[in-house]
Every structure is written in C-alpha cells, then in structure tokens.
Amino acid sequence: DLGKVGVTPGPHMAAVDEFTVTVTGKGAHAAMPHLGADPVVCLAHLVGALQSIVSREANPFTAVVVSVTRIEAGTAFNIIPERASMNGTVRAFDTALWETLPARFERVVRGVAQAFGCSAEIQYQRHHRPLVNDPKMAEIARAAAAEVVGESNLYDDIRTMGGEDFSSFLARVPGCFVAVGSRNAARGLVHGHHHPRFDVDEKCLEIGAEI
C-alpha cells in the first residue's frame, strides 16, 4: 500500500530463467498413432515431469517454481504433428540451487523425450540472477525508510518470485533494493504489475526519492 516500504535483508527477488523446448517425433494420422512418435503426448508428460524438480529435487524449505506458460503444436484435428514446443520460466531464490537448475532441467527433458521415442531441442536462458540484499546496506536503507514513513510502516520480509536486473549490480557491489508501496484502494489503484489496468499512485515517487 502507499506509505508502506519493504526493506528485506538477504534474498529479496528470485532468479529468472526462460526455457523453450521443441520436441520432435514422427507425424502420423491421428487414427493411426502407432505409425508415429507423438510429440504432443511427450510434451504433456514433460509438463508434469518437470514439476519433480520442485517436489522431489529441491529442499521443501527453498522456493522454486517451474511454470510452463505456452504450448504450441499441430495444425489439424486429425493429424499428429511432427513437432511440438513449449515455453516457460524457472524461478529460485537460493543461488547454489539456481546454479544446478539448467542441468536438472535438461536431464528431465531428454530422459522423457527418449522414453517416448522423440528428441528434444532445449534453449535455456538466464535472464536475471537472484536479487540478494546486503544485510549491512539493508540496515542503512531501513533506517532511512523509518525516518520517512515511520517504523510501523516498514516490512522486513517482502519477498517475491518476480525478478529484477538490479540483481546484477548486487552481485558485484553491496547494496539494497527497496520496495516502495504504490497501491491506493481509494483511487482504484489495486491491480498487479501484469494487469492491463496496472497503475500507481505517483505520491510513491516522493517517498522513494526522500528515502
């Protein structure tokens, strides 16, 4: 909310990875699937299998997300296509875990593809690393924020699986990324960042600048 400020020492925002997987099988008539190698079925199993990275390979006390957000396949109701593809994102806070994710992802994808008689092409991009606030810098930022909005309006545990390229600076120089509230329900400014009606109460800019 407007007037609230978050200063979180340590991990604050997640790493952002993007993947695109293209599965190649063998096209066939939908009525004769045994004559092909169905990449759609392979892709469907991949969506579920990738969740094992979260549920069975990561410590339950660490936050990891694997989201498939786009699937493309086929041109007709009665044709098994030769190819199918999916796109999505992987998020994590823990830097050590984050470093292992591409290899784990590739192992699952290639193993499932082989099991279904298909091959897989993987594009795995690392957009942003985890954003980790330096504890000492966070103390300085918190003290400044308290002068502006008061202790009762401070949060020290604001974490989000969203990502931010400021993480690249924090990987080299101690610093702190501060969350400045901009929501104002009285004005109807309540929508999230990816909502088409997203807007901010610009009074938040004054608060951020003063801090």
Side-chain angles (χ1 to χ4, degrees):
D1 291 327
L2 182 69
K4 305 289 185 180
V5 173
V7 182
T8 304
H12 175 50
M13 300 181 80
V16 179
D17 294 351
E18 179 186 355
F19 62 82
T20 300
V21 176
T22 301
V23 175
T24 301
K26 181 182 178 183
H29 195 291
M32 293 172 278
H34 59 290
L35 299 179
D38 194 337
V40 176
V41 173
C42 178
L43 207 65
H45 281 266
L46 265 176
V47 173
L50 286 170
Q51 298 308 313
S52 66
I53 295 175
V54 177
S55 65
R56 288 297 177 268
E57 295 197 34
N59 187 317
F61 293 101
T62 59
V64 187
V65 169
V66 179
S67 292
V68 176
T69 57
R70 185 168 61 91
I71 293 177
E72 294 183 357
T75 58
F77 84 99
N78 60 347
I79 300 173
I80 293 173
E82 182 181 13
R83 292 184 181 85
S85 66
M86 66 180 183
N87 181 228
T89 186
V90 180
R91 309 289 175 105
F93 280 122
D94 184 83
T95 301
L97 173 63
W98 176 65
E99 295 288 356
T100 71
L101 290 174
R104 297 183 186 205
F105 184 92
E106 181 174 356
R107 189 193 71 242
V108 172
V109 170
R110 297 206 184 282
V112 171
Q114 183 180 25
F116 284 88
C118 298
S119 61
E121 177 187 344
I122 303 170
Q123 294 178 320
Y124 196 100
Q125 298 174 278
R126 317 219 83 168
H127 290 307
H128 308 307
R129 61 185 300 115
L131 189 151
V132 182
N133 285 330
D134 180 83
K136 291 183 179 179
M137 296 297 103
E139 286 182 15
I140 295 173
R142 192 182 195 286
E147 288 186 28
V148 176
V149 298
E151 283 282 344
S152 62
N153 290 311
L154 291 182
Y155 295 97
D156 58 8
D157 60 348
I158 300 296
R159 292 183 172 85
T160 170
M161 296 304 281
E164 169 58 51
D165 57 10
F166 189 69
S167 57
S168 296
F169 291 94
L170 294 184
R172 293 172 175 264
V173 181
C176 181
F177 189 95
V178 177
V180 180
S182 66
R183 178 173 54 203
N184 188 335
R187 294 183 54 198
L189 306 177
V190 297
H191 301 284
H193 286 182
H194 293 289
H195 193 283
R197 293 178 62 192
F198 171 71
D199 198 358
V200 303
D201 187 322
E202 293 187 0
K203 290 181 180 178
C204 71
L205 302 177
E206 300 174 15
I207 294 172
E210 188 174 354
I211 293 173

